[in-house]
Amino acid sequence: MREVMANKVVCGVGVLGAVGLVLLVSAWKGRPRGIPAKPTTSAEAGPSIVFRAEELAFEYDRGATGSAWPVEVTGGGVGLLDFDGDGRLDIFLAQGGALRPGAKERSDVLLRNLGGGRFEDVSPRVGLLPRGYGQGVCVADYDGDGDPDVYVTRYGRNTLWRNDRENGRFVDATDQAGVAVGSWSLGAAFADFDGDGDLDLYVANYLQFDPAQTPFRRDPATGAADYGLPQDFPGLPDVLFRNEGNGRFTDVTNAAGVAGSGRGMGVLARDFDGDGRVDWFVANDAQSNALWRNRGDGTFEDVADRLGLAVNGQGLAEANMGIAHGDTDGDGLEDVAISHYFAEHTTLWRAFRDPQGVLFYQDQTSEAGLVIDSRPLTGWGIVLADFDQDGRLDLVQTNGHIRREPTQRYAYENPPILWKGGEQGRFVNATSGAGPYFQALHMGRGLAAGDLDGDGDLDLVVTHQHAPSVVLWNESPRQGGFLIVDLEGLAPNRDAVGARATVHLGSRVLVRSVAGGGSYLSASDRRLHFGLGDAAKIDQIEVRWPSGRVETRTDIEPNSTIPWKEGRLVD
């Protein structure tokens, strides 16, 4: 056993016969790092949402140079996927490493879920070799062979890890696929934009800087190297790759008209205007967001301003980072939340229809109760999900500053924040009752949600700067049953990206959709999770597939996982 003094936790390491080294997550002792988070004045509604934190034997290497390169603060992401088909979600973590030329590179990491809260590092065994400074994790079955692949964005050359499940390995398919990019990429999303059935790839590139020009700023008090702000650097054009269906992609950025000039961080792919086609939404740092509307002819137009998603309700462009989506007010329309820099706030745009039925979005952050509590925090990973299964979406966000500012409440480490979904679409700050991890300060970055222990509720994985990643096991008192819908579309879009499921519970309607991308640098479990609240039965579930086919089912048992193949229900 080794004691990790920086975090006041213990990480257990053991040997499991021929299986090799098994990394056991360790119990979080509940003693905060640094100063405790200040309590809020918001009252909690109903029973608390509670998580128990356990440390993973993985720490992201940010590769500090001493010269304050901007890449050092952006962090690494996490993806949840069933790599080996055993029914348990495994954890894929992008790894950073030394930034200066000639330094030894580190490989990305796959932690195989052994059950019982144990994870085994199988990275070398499954072929994960050093490929450069990793940041974002995007998961999708891009080749339609039935197993999840992983695209890792990097400062440098991106990597497409193809899952060769038959041989139990990841294969570097980057060159074959032609998706390396080779600049500085952060967010990415797979989705079928051209309706040919296979998954295309959108990559958000961030900014350009010359390491020879460091430091870009200096601390006025000490003269030490300091991190520049996004406004100090020009943005990089994004890239759109069309999947040709033969293992290769074609760069169609210019033809599609989506290059832009933003500093892209988060990407979310789904139908934003209700026309049945997948659009690309890009969170740009310290610039207006871009919403690339799919015209259906292979080209796109930026309609973020027209639909109300470019800036906040005050008309200001913010430091947009991670993206979450979901129906936060129960009207059957999915909304969008974005995390931001401190002194701004987490912003929620709700979807509405005008009298002609046209979708538009409006900043409803104040109405939702999110402004005051999020203003002191610099947000990154963000997820909308029903953690207590009361039928309402909750909102969780990881936080952490990048540099010292005179007006900051916190120096670098921030508390995470959890809002519980309440009546009439208003959120209530439930951080104080969420467990010891939420009372401590962290340098949070990536965040992904999924049922890691198979008990029907959603757990979380968080990546940090300067500290090991953690699993947040969901131990909330359940406010109702659950339903998990595991959709499988027709090949090659087996992931059913773009599908929408609607659950009818008497007069109540719950909506979830399979989107591409989301959060910050991270990929949650693609399966759709519904908390059922006080409903005694499920009346009906309807699935609208990306192909346009609509299927319904009524013989549904609560507290179950439904595997559902397009055109054929699987019992």
Side-chain angles (χ1 to χ4, degrees), residues 9-84:
V9 297
V10 177
C11 181
V13 179
V15 176
L16 189 64
V19 174
L21 182 64
V22 177
L23 304 176
L24 303 179
V25 291
S26 61
W28 185 270
K29 298 300 182 182
R31 288 171 287 187
R33 303 180 70 236
I35 62 173
K38 292 184 179 181
T40 69
T41 58
S42 300
E44 295 183 18
S48 297
I49 298 172
V50 181
F51 292 94
R52 175 177 56 87
E54 292 190 289
E55 187 180 84
L56 290 167
F58 171 86
E59 184 170 334
Y60 184 76
D61 182 359
R62 57 178 269 166
T65 62
S67 299
W69 292 18
V71 67
E72 298 169 15
V73 300
T74 45
V78 55
L80 304 183
L81 70 162
D82 183 3
F83 162 75
D84 51 6

Side-chain angles (χ1 to χ4, degrees), residues 23 26 28 33 45 48 51 92 112 129 134 149-150 203 287 290 308 310 317 335 349 352 362 364 401 412 434 551:
L23 304 176
S26 61
W28 185 270
R33 303 180 70 236
S48 297
F51 292 94
F92 191 106
R112 181 170 176 259
L129 302 172
D149 311 297
V150 179
V203 181
Q287 289 177 293
D335 314 309
W349 289 268
F352 296 91
Q362 187 178 80
Q364 294 269 299
H401 291 324
Y412 285 100
E551 297 177 338

Side-chain angles (χ1 to χ4, degrees), residues 95-453:
Q95 181 57 287
L99 286 164
R100 295 193 179 279
K104 184 178 180 181
E105 293 183 338
R106 302 183 65 179
S107 71
D108 302 323
V109 170
L110 179 69
L111 301 181
R112 181 170 176 259
N113 190 344
L114 303 178
R118 299 178 302 158
F119 294 88
E120 175 191 10
D121 187 342
V122 296
S123 310
R125 188 193 314 167
V126 301
L128 293 179
L129 302 172
R131 287 294 184 266
Y133 192 92
Q135 299 221 260
V137 179
C138 185
V139 177
D141 180 10
Y142 82 93
D143 54 1
D145 65 353
D147 49 42
D149 311 297
V150 179
Y151 186 72
V152 178
T153 61
R154 304 187 188 277
Y155 172 63
R157 195 173 185 274
N158 299 340
T159 307
L160 178 60
W161 294 112
R162 181 176 62 81
N163 186 346
D164 180 9
R165 182 180 285 174
E166 184 177 346
N167 295 302
R169 298 180 63 81
F170 280 112
V171 177
D172 185 348
T174 312
D175 289 338
Q176 177 188 355
V179 292
V181 182
S183 53
W184 180 8
S185 305
L186 288 177
F190 283 95
D192 177 16
F193 81 82
D194 54 1
D196 64 354
D198 50 32
L199 295 179
D200 311 298
L201 173 63
Y202 190 104
V203 181
N205 290 322
Y206 190 36
L207 53 80
Q208 59 183 9
F209 72 96
D210 181 359
Q213 302 300 313
T214 55
F216 299 100
R217 293 199 178 198
R218 291 189 180 275
D219 187 306
T222 66
D226 203 357
Y227 296 102
L229 295 174
Q231 297 90 326
D232 297 339
F233 309 96
L236 290 168
D238 296 340
V239 179
L240 176 60
F241 293 103
R242 185 181 64 223
N243 191 335
E244 302 297 349
N246 57 1
R248 292 196 58 81
F249 291 77
T250 299
D251 184 341
V252 296
T253 309
N254 292 331
V258 298
S261 58
R263 293 180 284 262
M265 300 196 86
V267 181
L268 183 68
R270 69 173 182 84
D271 180 7
F272 279 83
D273 58 355
D275 64 358
R277 295 188 289 264
V278 170
D279 311 302
W280 310 104
F281 184 50
V282 183
N284 287 318
D285 194 3
Q287 289 177 293
S288 299
N289 299 314
L291 175 55
W292 297 107
R293 177 182 173 272
N294 190 341
R295 289 188 174 117
D297 60 358
T299 67
F300 295 79
E301 61 175 330
D302 185 359
V303 298
D305 187 59
R306 187 194 314 166
L307 267 65
L309 289 165
V311 295
N312 66 17
Q314 290 73 49
L316 301 175
E318 299 171 295
N320 303 283
M321 299 184 189
I323 311 174
H325 73 109
D327 179 8
T328 63
D329 53 2
D331 64 354
L333 302 176
E334 292 189 284
D335 314 309
V336 179
I338 294 184
S339 56
H340 293 114
Y341 199 59
F342 93 100
E344 297 173 344
H345 50 66
T346 301
T347 304
L348 175 67
W349 289 268
R350 284 198 165 121
F352 296 91
R353 289 191 186 275
D354 68 14
Q356 287 72 45
V358 177
L359 276 170
F360 68 96
Y361 296 80
Q362 187 178 80
D363 184 345
Q364 294 269 299
T365 312
S366 179
E367 291 84 346
L370 300 175
V371 174
I372 295 175
D373 295 324
S374 60
R375 197 179 293 278
L377 310 172
T378 293
W380 303 87
I382 183 169
V383 168
L384 276 164
D386 186 354
F387 295 108
D388 56 359
Q389 299 178 179
D390 65 352
R392 302 185 186 94
L393 292 181
D394 313 300
L395 180 59
V396 66
Q397 179 178 295
T398 63
N399 305 297
H401 291 324
I402 64 171
R403 47 177 282 154
R404 291 184 184 272
E405 302 279 2
T407 58
Q408 287 176 190
R409 178 186 297 179
Y410 307 101
Y412 285 100
E413 296 175 321
N414 289 194
I417 191 164
L418 171 68
W419 289 279
K420 180 180 168 67
E423 296 287 347
Q424 298 178 336
R426 188 165 179 85
F427 289 90
V428 180
N429 190 329
T431 308
S432 63
Y437 177 85
F438 284 82
Q439 304 311 303
L441 302 182
H442 312 277
M443 288 280 281
R445 291 299 187 265
L447 174 68
D451 182 7
L452 289 164
D453 51 6

